[in-house]
Amino acid sequence: MPEFRSSCLWLVLSAFLPGMAQAQTWGAYPAMPPAVVQAVQSVRDNVTSEAPDPFRLFEQTEHVQVKDWLQRQNALTDSVMARLEGRDALLARLRGQMLSEVPTVPVTGKAAAIEDIENADSRIYVQAGADQHRRVIIQSKAVGAERVLFLTADNEQIQRLLPAPDMSKLGVLTQTNNNGRTELHLSIVHVSEGRLLDDRITLADDAENNAFWKADSKAVFYTRSADRHSNGIQQRKTEIAQHIIGEPVRIDKVIVGAGMAKPARLSSDDTVRMRLVPDAALVFIEVTHANGKAKSYFYAKQSDVTGVGTAWKLFAAPADKIESLAFAGDAIYLLSRKKTTNGSLLKIDLKTLKLGQAKPLVKDGAAILHELFAVKDAVYWHASEAGVSQLLKADANSGNISAIVLPLRGQVSEMSLEPASGQLSFILQSASVAPVRYRLGKDGQLVSVLPAGTAAQPTAGILSKTFYLAAANGERILLTLIYHAGLEMDGSHPALLVTDYATPPFFAPGFDASRMAWLEQGGIVAIAQMRSATSDVDRKAARLAKYTAADNKNDQSTKVILAAEYLIKEAYTSTGKLAAEELDSGKDAVIKAALRRPDLFAAVHVHNVRSEALPAVDEKITPKINRTTAVETAFAFDELRSGVAYPAMLISADTTETGAPLWMSAKLAAGMQILSANKNRPVLLRTSAKRSDAEMQTAQSSQSERADAWAFLLWQAGVKKFSLNGGK
């Protein structure tokens, strides 16, 4: 039986209780609830191996004595925080100009200029007038004469120009915004006559990339919204229709949607997208199935596409695990995860259209491949390894593969083709550099897309590096360090070791402006990625053995201990300077690391910690015998020991948390306050009402809580600016 569960420890515990109110420099712990003291004494007087847990009263958080104790714990924590020098300045930094220095990343950045359309005789371009309206103008190359083909209305913006293959007509895709409601419309202009036709098509939201001319220039394919009714409930779905120029829009035929014949029959939850191969006069449809991951691809000749009865041919099934598909030159390029979960890049000749004859474009390796796009006669993708991305290009004509030089070592994400210009854009960031959207210009040069008046790198002088630490069980742990350039690694710096459960496996964490406030104290931030390979995909990618929560070889606290040992060994920090923080609810990696290796840490902050097993459904809150747990499962509360000099702790908890209820934090704090041998390292408890994610992002109180936590950790790490001033 763990020591804190055993009745013999309650003999030791009862000896400590009378001295609980003894004052330290930072204050004195509130006295234990009388009912708890009485329960401890009862256990002391009735020693048995199956004695009930006298701390079970804390599970009744509405009990008057427990509520009073929690209020006094909050009062103690508030009084300590109020006496920490530097806390107010830290809060002002978190609330003030620091966050405003970092530019927000626009969804697509400042709109790229709509690409001109040229042939031997004329040029078509978009021009903004002094009246804020935009004009589509055609200019004769022979004489320079110009004529307006299209003029935007109020609240209307041009998104794309779609020239017909024979240049006889021009599609103008516009977006209107009326009273906060946006709509996409496609208008058709007869180029030679300079006349706006009656055809005006309404597209589905976010369908600006899904409108195409047929090869004969007589019709367009487009995506539109369609209402479906199921069990009396109206559902808005999308379908692909064909509009024949000159005919009423109301009679447009559905070609991809409900009623399709096998093998392309759709379920009610499938979503579809059309892809055209102009040079081959082929139409592909991409079907994303209900789970959002599996995809199927079908194709047909454009001339055969007549309606929902079109005889589509299967190109790739969900089992082929095609994630991305692009067309360039005379080939189809595929990103598949069938052979390897890191991804294989394949090339198929358009003349064969047989997936079995696909040839690898690059050798499979340790890098993970992402997001495949075609721009004219080249395909682009990015590959990441140890959190660092490469942007790669394959020339469709020569087959040469080259790397695009990126302005920093970081992570590429949100790669896309801009509808207006057809240019490639993406976001690039690192843990030390704020995210910036870049656009790849026609000349192959990267151009940053930023709001006016902002700098591309507001965190100059901050470095980051991401690398793997090898654990004893063979697992690789991704660790990211952030620090000032030129910082001497002599063990004197306060280090904050943070657990990260949000970043997917094998990716580096993104930028967080608030970390700068810690770095400004001469500190170092270390981020340990905690997500293990729990899915088949992740396990194969990392070549790891099967992971389960009960597998002690993969105990999450070992990651924290490994990272802490590395930071101390390499002199990034020292035992008296190292703090750890775990803010994800229901986790216990940091608290168990601190209990098992208290010598490594000066202080820790944990939030909604899960310190023991939840009661059985029929157990409720009755004072029964101690709960039994699985042999392989160790909980933090079970690992408390008497006479151990534990690090300082700030334990915060939300009153409405259910996965790791408030009482878990309360019991843990009570046990720590009683048993820790070093009373100069306080154990503080703070409880508060839980806020929604949106409130956490906007509420100033969340910044106040971070200022309190970091001021507490910096105080315990010996940073003089955060010493405790006088008074109690």
Side-chain angles (χ1 to χ4, degrees):
M1 179 181 293
E3 184 179 354
F4 202 69
R5 298 288 187 190
S6 64
S7 57
C8 63
L9 184 62
W10 300 111
L11 298 176
V12 178
L13 186 64
S14 62
F16 279 97
L17 287 174
M20 280 288 295
Q22 183 176 354
Q24 309 297 324
T25 56
W26 44 265
Y29 293 129
M32 284 288 161
V36 172
V37 177
Q38 183 179 1
V40 171
Q41 292 173 341
S42 176
V43 172
R44 178 195 61 187
D45 297 336
N46 299 278
V47 177
T48 170
S49 60
E50 294 187 347
D53 177 355
F55 271 23
R56 289 294 297 277
L57 179 69
F58 285 113
E59 299 180 22
Q60 303 178 47
T61 53
E62 294 302 314
H63 190 287
V64 62
Q65 294 183 16
V66 175
K67 289 179 68 174
D68 177 69
W69 183 80
L70 290 172
Q71 290 173 357
R72 287 183 286 120
Q73 290 286 343
N74 277 333
L76 171 63
T77 300
D78 291 343
S79 69
V80 171
M81 299 305 176
R83 294 168 55 199
L84 288 176
E85 296 180 0
R87 184 265 179 197
D88 291 343
L90 181 64
L91 176 59
R93 186 67 173 132
L94 288 169
R95 285 182 175 175
Q97 74 267 30
M98 181 181 66
L99 296 181
S100 63
E101 289 172 359
V102 181
T104 56
V105 181
V107 176
T108 57
K110 182 181 177 182
I114 296 175
E115 188 173 9
D116 294 351
I117 300 167
E118 296 192 47
N119 60 17
D121 302 319
S122 61
R123 177 172 74 100
I124 298 176
Y125 65 97
V126 176
Q127 182 185 74
D131 58 1
Q132 303 303 313
H133 292 279
R134 288 182 172 255
R135 295 158 173 79
V136 179
I137 298 173
I138 183 169
Q139 181 187 62
S140 170
K141 289 186 176 181
V143 297
E146 294 185 339
R147 181 172 54 185
V148 175
L149 297 177
F150 184 88
L151 176 66
T152 59
D154 292 339
N155 301 316
E156 186 176 32
Q157 295 291 327
I158 296 176
Q159 303 296 106
R160 290 178 63 195
L161 297 181
L162 288 80
D166 64 2
M167 291 294 291
S168 64
K169 303 175 191 70
L170 177 69
V172 182
L173 186 65
T174 60
Q175 178 178 286
T176 59
N177 190 332
N178 293 312
N179 299 321
R181 180 182 177 184
T182 60
E183 287 187 342
L184 289 173
H185 299 283
L186 181 64
S187 301
I188 308 297
V189 177
H190 196 293
V191 174
S192 63
E193 298 178 4
R195 179 170 57 91
L196 183 64
L197 303 180
D198 293 334
D199 309 73
R200 181 173 169 84
I201 304 166
T202 300
L203 281 70
D205 296 340
D206 303 321
E208 56 190 304
N209 276 328
N210 222 227
F212 310 95
W213 283 94
K214 287 192 71 173
D216 60 8
S217 300
K218 295 180 180 180
V220 292
F221 299 123
Y222 66 98
T223 302
R224 67 183 183 185
S225 298
D227 291 333
R228 297 280 183 268
H229 292 82
S230 177
N231 298 323
I233 300 174
Q234 179 174 303
Q235 295 178 323
R236 170 126 308 189
K237 308 294 291 182
T238 57
E239 60 189 14
I240 297 173
Q242 174 181 268
H243 173 72
I244 298 175
I245 304 302
E247 294 190 357
V249 174
R250 67 177 182 275
I251 65 172
D252 289 352
K253 287 186 176 181
V254 176
I255 59 172
V256 178
M260 292 177 66
K262 291 183 178 181
R265 184 171 294 170
L266 305 177
S267 73
S268 60
D269 294 323
D270 290 341
T271 58
V272 294
R273 187 164 73 109
M274 178 172 280
R275 311 289 299 277
L276 254 65
V277 192
D279 295 339
L282 292 172
V283 178
F284 275 73
I285 56 172
E286 176 186 275
V287 180
T288 302
H289 298 290
N291 58 17
K293 295 182 179 180
K295 293 181 179 180
S296 298
Y297 290 88
F298 304 88
Y299 71 94
K301 292 182 180 180
Q302 282 196 32
S303 57
D304 294 337
V305 177
T306 57
V308 290
T310 299
W312 296 97
K313 297 180 181 178
L314 179 65
F315 175 72
D320 296 311
K321 298 183 178 180
I322 304 299
E323 190 171 283
S324 300
L325 177 148
F327 309 103
D330 58 358
I332 303 176
Y333 295 84
L334 308 170
L335 175 56
S336 169
R337 301 201 187 278
K338 182 177 182 180
K339 181 180 177 183
T340 168
T341 52
N342 284 1
S344 300
L345 199 58
L346 308 173
K347 179 180 179 180
I348 300 175
D349 194 310
L350 278 170
K351 295 178 182 178
T352 64
L353 289 178
K354 293 182 179 179
L355 195 57
Q357 296 182 12
K359 297 179 180 179
L361 188 66
V362 295
K363 292 182 178 179
D364 297 336
I368 304 174
L369 309 183
H370 313 271
E371 298 181 307
L372 180 67
F373 289 93
V375 181
K376 298 192 182 301
D377 290 329
V379 289
Y380 296 83
W381 68 97
H382 63 98
S384 63
E385 186 172 7
V388 177
S389 293
Q390 268 192 308
L391 180 59
L392 299 163
K393 169 188 175 182
D395 188 287
N397 297 319
S398 66
N400 293 334
I401 297 175
S402 58
I404 306 297
V405 178
L406 298 175
L408 61 96
R409 283 172 55 85
Q411 189 82 41
V412 170
S413 63
E414 297 185 31
M415 200 157 82
S416 63
L417 289 181
E418 296 188 342
S421 64
Q423 294 177 0
L424 191 73
S425 74
F426 57 88
I427 288 176
L428 178 64
Q429 66 174 314
S430 73
S432 60
V433 178
V436 175
R437 182 172 288 279
Y438 287 89
R439 180 182 296 126
L440 186 64
K442 294 180 182 179
D443 56 0
Q445 299 299 310
L446 290 177
V447 179
S448 62
V449 183
L450 289 170
T454 56
Q457 295 190 20
T459 52
I462 305 296
L463 302 179
S464 67
K465 63 179 181 179
T466 300
F467 54 94
Y468 287 107
L469 291 178
N473 65 346
E475 185 176 358
R476 296 190 304 169
I477 300 169
L478 203 60
L479 185 68
T480 296
L481 303 183
I482 312 171
Y483 52 90
H484 277 281
L487 201 66
E488 185 177 355
M489 301 308 169
D490 57 3
S492 65
H493 308 292
L496 178 65
L497 175 57
V498 182
T499 56
D500 176 13
Y501 293 89
T503 304
F506 324 117
F507 286 75
F511 180 80
D512 182 348
S514 64
R515 298 181 191 129
M516 301 303 116
W518 184 279
L519 301 182
E520 288 169 357
Q521 315 309 320
I524 295 170
V525 175
I527 305 169
Q529 183 176 293
M530 305 301 288
R531 276 182 58 177
S532 293
T534 54
S535 69
D536 289 337
V537 169
D538 294 342
R539 283 197 295 270
K540 292 177 182 177
R543 299 175 176 84
L544 299 177
K546 185 176 181 181
Y547 175 88
T548 65
D551 185 353
N552 286 331
K553 294 184 299 181
N554 290 287
D555 190 309
Q556 297 285 55
S557 67
T558 62
K559 296 182 179 181
V560 178
I561 293 171
L562 180 66
E565 290 175 334
Y566 173 84
L567 293 171
I568 294 169
K569 179 182 177 181
E570 298 299 322
Y572 286 100
T573 190
S574 56
T575 55
K577 299 285 184 180
L578 178 58
E581 187 172 52
E582 189 161 53
L583 299 181
D584 292 83
S585 296
K587 306 299 182 183
D588 62 2
V590 164
I591 190 64
K592 288 204 289 191
L595 294 176
R596 293 171 180 177
R597 290 295 307 277
D599 57 305
L600 294 176
F601 305 95
V604 300
H605 172 214
V606 293
H607 182 68
N608 289 337
V609 62
R610 186 179 183 188
S611 60
E612 57 184 293
L614 287 166
V617 176
D618 60 346
E619 188 177 344
K620 298 182 180 179
I621 306 295
T622 55
K624 291 189 176 182
I625 305 301
N626 293 322
R627 302 181 188 107
T628 58
T629 59
V631 174
E632 70 274 15
T633 304
F635 291 101
F637 191 73
D638 296 330
E639 301 198 17
L640 290 177
R641 301 290 183 270
S642 60
V644 177
Y646 289 115
M649 292 191 183
L650 173 60
I651 301 173
S652 58
D654 297 324
T655 57
T656 56
E657 172 65 28
T658 56
L662 167 62
W663 60 261
M664 289 190 180
S665 295
K667 289 179 68 174
L668 182 66
M672 293 292 300
Q673 290 176 356
I674 295 170
L675 295 178
S676 182
N678 189 349
K679 301 305 180 184
N680 290 322
R681 296 284 193 186
V683 177
L684 303 181
L685 174 65
R686 167 174 278 171
T687 61
S688 61
K690 187 175 182 179
R691 294 185 298 276
S692 67
D693 291 341
E695 290 173 326
M696 286 294 291
Q697 291 174 4
T698 59
Q700 288 190 338
S701 57
S702 65
Q703 295 162 346
S704 177
E705 291 166 4
R706 174 164 286 185
D708 284 348
W710 284 8
F712 174 81
L713 298 176
L714 288 164
W715 166 42
Q716 291 298 312
V719 179
K720 292 182 179 180
K721 285 171 57 177
F722 294 87
S723 59
L724 194 70
N725 61 30
K728 294 182 182 177

